[in-house]
Amino acid sequence: MRDYTDGRGPDSPDELWLLEHPPVFTQGLAGKAEHVLAPGDIPVVQTDRGGQVTYHGPGQLVAYPLLDLERMGLGVRCLVRDLEETVIRQLAAYGLEGARKDGAPGVYVDGAKIASIGLKVRRGCTYHGLAFNIDMDLSPFDRINPCGYAGQPMTRLADRAGGIDFNRARADFVAVLARVLGLDCREAPPDDGSHKLLSDVG
């Protein structure tokens, strides 16, 4: 992500990387060691995104929008809101009510967090992004204070809306994100197991 962002020119296409991480805790720039309670055998990786500590693992959709905000005429706060809006609309299509929480970016269902957001802006372009809990093991979240909040309950789509598998959730996310951001997404060949889509402003 950093290499792509650093090497971008004014005509470089925007990209959206979709993937699942192996089990890992990631600590943001604002992260405090005391929020990592008992990592055990799961590695803790320092990142340059915003925010505190979170967990990534199989069954979680991780979306990295590599966008030229200046070209899109979009501020980072607006992008955070648009990412939240994407998940909220997607949940609504499944009959679920997603909500925002003041001062705590992400999307919540009945107070439990289902999607987390942490971004980095460099040279007017974004990387890092959003993690959406689809059908993952949530127990590692008990080893941290998720996003710096002790006791923050976490949830996943599989427990809220049955019959929606990972592939459908991923496709629905891309379709809704494209509508929210006004992008025309076209699929690119997978790169090392990731699901990368090129996005052009429509």
Side-chain angles (χ1 to χ4, degrees):
M1 291 184 293
R2 286 190 296 268
D3 289 347
Y4 184 76
T5 300
D6 288 343
R8 292 189 68 150
D11 298 323
S12 297
D14 294 318
E15 296 193 359
L16 174 65
W17 296 2
L18 304 174
L19 58 144
E20 298 173 75
H21 279 300
V24 63
F25 295 114
T26 62
Q27 185 78 283
L29 290 173
K32 298 180 180 179
E34 59 263 33
H35 293 308
V36 181
L37 306 177
D41 58 350
I42 299 176
V44 180
V45 175
Q46 184 68 44
T47 72
D48 60 350
R49 63 165 171 77
Q52 296 270 352
V53 65
T54 193
Y55 171 71
H56 301 299
Q60 180 189 66
L61 174 62
V62 178
Y64 292 140
L66 310 183
L67 306 176
D68 186 331
L69 293 183
E70 292 184 359
R71 186 170 61 199
M72 295 177 68
L74 193 65
V76 66
R77 291 184 180 179
C78 292
L79 177 58
V80 169
R81 190 165 183 85
D82 285 346
L83 291 172
E84 292 170 337
E85 182 65 20
T86 296
V87 176
I88 289 171
R89 291 189 191 183
Q90 184 174 352
L91 293 175
Y94 303 152
L96 300 172
E97 184 177 355
R100 296 178 176 89
K101 184 181 291 187
D102 289 341
V107 179
Y108 302 77
V109 178
D110 298 328
K113 198 166 194 176
I114 197 167
S116 303
I117 297 173
L119 296 171
K120 176 71 173 180
V121 180
R122 181 182 292 178
R123 298 169 58 241
C125 299
T126 62
Y127 58 102
H128 291 294
L130 174 141
F132 187 3
N133 304 335
I134 306 299
D135 189 8
M136 64 184 302
D137 178 9
L138 296 176
S139 64
F141 284 106
D142 296 335
R143 306 190 198 181
I144 61 173
N145 292 331
C147 301
Y149 292 92
Q152 170 63 57
M154 304 297 292
T155 191
R156 59 183 187 171
L157 186 62
D159 293 333
R160 301 285 179 163
I164 300 170
D165 66 14
F166 188 91
N167 288 336
R168 177 183 168 187
R170 182 181 64 210
D172 290 347
F173 175 84
V174 173
V176 178
L177 181 66
R179 289 196 297 271
V180 170
L181 292 180
L183 300 177
D184 176 24
C185 294
R186 46 192 168 80
E187 190 165 1
D191 180 16
D192 296 330
S194 66
H195 305 276
K196 183 188 297 184
L197 292 96
L198 300 182
S199 310
D200 293 324
V201 177

